[in-house]
């Protein structure tokens, strides 16, 4: 587990999006949390169904 390992980085992002870890003032977290709940996915971590609906490119 190290930064630069994309599945690990997305694991950390998932913890952040679900409120398990918190960082300073993030202006975009509320919008990202809504998109995450709407079914947008990460590229490497979690379920994949091939619909290309990702939080980021």
């Amino acid at each position: 587990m190290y930064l630069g390992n994309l599945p690990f980085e997305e694991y950390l992002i998932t913890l952040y999006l679900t409120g398990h870890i918190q960082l300073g003032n993030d202006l975009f977290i509320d919008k990202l949390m809504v998109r995450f709940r709407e079914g947008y996915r990460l590229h490497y971590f979690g379920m994949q169904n091939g619909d290309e609906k990702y939080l980021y490119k």
Side-chain angles (χ1 to χ4, degrees):
M1 293 180 223
Y2 57 89
L3 293 180
N5 176 343
L6 296 178
F8 177 65
E9 287 182 7
E10 288 197 347
Y11 172 71
L12 294 175
I13 292 168
T14 302
L15 290 176
Y16 182 56
L17 290 174
T18 56
H20 289 86
I21 58 175
Q22 294 180 355
L23 301 174
N25 288 337
D26 184 349
L27 302 175
F28 301 106
I29 188 62
D30 293 328
K31 291 178 184 177
L32 284 174
M33 288 175 121
V34 167
R35 291 187 88 185
F36 190 67
R37 284 191 297 266
E38 290 174 349
Y40 283 81
R41 293 170 188 75
L42 300 166
H43 282 268
Y44 304 100
F45 184 79
M47 297 292 294
Q48 302 295 318
N49 66 3
D51 69 358
E52 301 286 328
K53 191 175 177 183
Y54 297 120
L55 283 171
Y56 61 90
K57 294 185 183 229

